[in-house]
Amino acid sequence: MTALWTSADIAAATKGAASTDFAVTGVAFDSREVGPGDLFVALTGEATNGHRFLDQAFAQGASGAIVSEDCGYPHVRVADSFAALEDLARASRARTDAKIIGVTGSVGKTSAKEALYACLNRIWRGQAHRSVLSYNNHTGVPLSLSRMPATTRAAVLEMGMNHAGELAHLTTLVRPHVAVVTAIAPAHTEFFRDESAIADAKGEIFAGLSNGTAIVPFDSPHRDRLIVAATPYAARIVTFGSDKAADVRAVEAMRLPTGGSFVTARIGEKELSFTLSQPGAHWVSNALAVLAAVDAVGGDLGLAGLALADLGGLAGRGARFTATLPGGGEALVIDEAYNANPASMRATLAVLGEEAGRHVAVLGEMRELGDASADYHAGLAEPILAARVEAAVLVGEAMRPLAETLEGQIAIVHCADATAALVAARATIAPGDAVLVKGSNGVGLARVIAGLKGA
C-alpha cells in the first residue's frame, strides 16, 4: 500500500525530530482505532494522556507515533502533539490539488457529507475522501485532513461547532473551495442567545473560502444573514431550496412507494431527474445542497444522481431494519439514534407518519437547549400527534414536559435511561409496527437499536 506519510514528511510538517525512518498508511489518535500501518498521535488533555496507550497502539500494528514525551517506539518527537496534528493537517491540505468541500449546518451536515462523498466517489472512483463518522470538531477535522491521500481528486469535510468562533478556526485548516450550510435550526441553544447567533456561527465557514462558492439554504429565515457572511469571501453564492427563486431547486418531488422520492431538480440552467433513496422532505433539501456542491466542483451531475439513488441508510441517521420480536412477528425500525434537535425531530417524525402500520416513537431527550429546553420538548407533541403516533417511549428527565403534554392523548412510558427504554420498547412494539428511535447521542439510544436488532 502506498505510504500516506513518511517519518521525514511528518517531521518536516510538524518541525519535529524523527527517531528513525518509517512510513504510515493511516492516522489515528484513539488507540482503540489503531490498525496495521497507522500513525498514532499521542494527544494529551485534562482527562487522559495518549502516551499511556503507546504499547496498545503498537501491539495493534502502529508503524509510528507522534509524541511529546519519551518513547521507545518509532516516533516523531514534537513539543505539542495537538499542534502537530494541526500542522500535519495543514501540510495535507497544502500538498493536494483536490477540490475541497466543507459542510456545516444545525441539521443534515453528516447526511449531506455522506451523500456528497457517495457522489464524488461515483465520479472520481477511488480518489474521493471524506470525514469518517462525525469527526467534525477541533480534533476530528485535523484528523480527517491528515488522513487525506495526496492523490485525492475531491474531498468533503464536515465541520461542527457548539460555540461561536470554532468554525472560524476549523475553516482556516480546511480552506474549502466550496462551503455548504445545510440548515439553521435550534441546536446547542444553551450556548447562543438566539437562532441568529447560531446562523452567525455557522456562517464562519465562509471565511475559509478564497474565490470559492458559498452554498446557502434559500428557504431559511436566516438566508440573507448567511449571504452577508459569505459575500466578503465567496466569488459565487448559490442558493438551494423549494422556492422558484432558488438557484438550485426541486421542480418536482414525488414520494415513491419505496419511501424515497422521485425528484426533478433545476441546477442553474441544467435539469436533472433522479430517484432519491432516502425518505422525507429534509432529504430532498439535502440532495439539492449536494447537487449544488457537485456542480460547483465541476462534477458529473448524472453520476451524482445515480449515487443518490443507490445511497444506503446511514446508521443512526435513517438506516432501516426489520426487528424480529420475541413473541413472534416483525416490526420496521428507523434508526435515527445518533442525534436530535427540535428540527430533526420534526423531520423524522414526519417520515414516520408516512409509514404503514401502527406508529411507535422511542424518543430520547434533546440536550444543550438551555433555558428553552422545556418548551422545545413540550413542542414535540404537535409533530408526534401529526405523525399519528399511538405509543411513545420517552427517555430522560428533559422529556417530562412532553410526557405531561401528551398525557391522556397517546400511550406513554417515561424512562430514566436507554436500558429501561429497551425494556419498555420490547414491551410496547407489536408485529406490523413502524418504530422511530431518535435522541441526542448522549442518551445512548444506540443500545436500544442494538437490542432490537438482537431481539
Side-chain angles (χ1 to χ4, degrees):
M1 185 179 294
T2 303
L4 179 65
W5 298 100
T6 66
S7 53
D9 295 332
I10 298 165
T14 63
K15 298 181 175 62
S19 65
T20 187
D21 291 336
F22 62 85
V24 300
T25 54
V27 184
F29 57 65
D30 185 334
S31 59
R32 295 166 297 184
E33 296 181 0
V34 172
D38 279 352
L39 172 71
F40 175 57
V41 184
L43 298 179
T44 58
E46 295 180 3
T48 188
N49 184 339
H51 297 83
R52 292 168 43 209
F53 303 99
L54 284 164
D55 289 343
Q56 177 183 341
F58 280 90
Q60 291 173 198
S63 291
I66 290 178
V67 299
S68 56
E69 300 177 9
D70 291 341
C71 176
Y73 298 103
H75 66 271
V76 172
R77 180 75 178 259
V78 298
D80 182 321
S81 53
F82 175 71
L85 178 62
E86 287 201 332
D87 287 339
L88 197 63
R90 291 187 185 95
S92 180
R93 178 65 184 85
R95 72 180 183 177
T96 185
D97 292 325
K99 295 294 185 181
I100 308 293
I101 303 170
V103 179
T104 193
S106 302
V107 292
K109 58 182 175 292
T110 302
S111 297
K113 178 259 296 183
E114 291 294 328
L116 254 171
Y117 172 74
C119 293
L120 298 174
N121 204 43
R122 189 74 167 247
I123 297 165
W124 292 292
R125 290 189 181 275
Q127 294 179 293
H129 178 74
R130 76 188 186 285
S131 312
V132 297
L133 304 174
S134 287
Y135 281 176
N136 61 23
N137 64 4
H138 67 290
T139 52
V141 170
L143 177 70
S144 297
L145 271 170
S146 68
R147 288 173 164 176
M148 182 170 63
T151 55
T152 298
R153 293 282 302 277
V156 53
L157 295 160
E158 179 181 342
M159 288 181 270
M161 63 89 205
N162 58 17
H163 288 82
E166 290 181 77
L167 282 181
H169 175 64
L170 294 179
T171 197
T172 64
L173 296 176
V174 174
R175 294 189 292 115
H177 298 97
V178 178
V180 180
V181 176
T182 57
I184 304 297
H188 312 299
T189 53
E190 179 180 352
F191 309 114
F192 296 95
R193 68 178 187 277
D194 55 26
E195 272 193 26
S196 294
I198 295 172
D200 290 341
K202 295 296 185 185
E204 292 171 11
I205 192 175
F206 301 129
L209 290 169
S210 178
N211 294 318
T213 302
I215 297 178
V216 172
F218 187 95
D219 302 327
S220 170
H222 307 288
R223 175 195 66 220
D224 293 342
R225 199 176 193 95
L226 291 169
I227 289 174
V228 168
T231 298
Y233 308 103
R236 181 170 173 243
I237 298 174
V238 176
T239 59
F240 69 93
S242 58
D243 194 282
K244 289 183 178 180
D247 300 312
V248 177
R249 65 185 178 92
V251 178
E252 178 184 40
M254 181 174 60
R255 186 176 186 273
L256 298 172
T258 55
S261 300
F262 180 78
V263 182
T264 298
R266 170 76 63 175
I267 305 102
E269 297 302 314
K270 307 165 191 172
E271 192 168 284
L272 176 71
S273 294
F274 63 97
T275 298
L276 176 61
S277 61
Q278 305 300 315
H282 61 298
W283 258 106
V284 174
S285 180
N286 286 341
L288 295 174
V290 166
L291 292 175
V294 169
D295 188 55
V297 297
D300 186 313
L301 290 171
L303 291 177
L306 293 175
L308 291 171
D310 292 341
L311 191 65
L314 309 177
R317 295 180 174 83
R320 296 173 172 226
F321 64 93
T322 300
T324 301
L325 305 178
E330 297 178 335
L332 169 68
V333 179
I334 304 170
D335 174 12
E336 286 277 356
Y338 186 78
N339 220 338
N341 58 42
S344 64
M345 280 284 200
R346 286 178 173 270
T348 50
L349 282 164
V351 171
L352 175 65
E354 295 178 344
E355 297 300 328
R358 189 180 72 132
H359 298 158
V360 176
V362 181
L363 304 178
E365 64 187 19
M366 303 174 291
R367 297 186 173 176
E368 297 184 351
L369 293 178
D371 294 340
S373 177
D375 290 338
Y376 281 126
H377 283 86
L380 293 179
E382 182 269 324
I384 285 172
L385 295 175
R388 297 175 289 110
V389 172
E390 296 183 38
V393 177
L394 307 179
V395 191
E397 181 58 29
M399 276 293 185
R400 188 169 299 281
L402 177 59
E404 292 171 351
T405 302
L406 289 173
E407 187 175 0
Q409 300 187 74
I410 65 172
I412 297 170
V413 180
H414 188 196
C415 303
D417 55 35
T419 300
L422 176 58
V423 174
R426 283 173 166 159
T428 301
I429 299 170
D433 285 353
V435 185
L436 171 66
V437 181
K438 187 169 182 65
S440 285
N441 192 40
V443 181
L445 293 189
R447 293 199 293 275
V448 174
I449 293 296
L452 293 177
K453 283 183 175 179

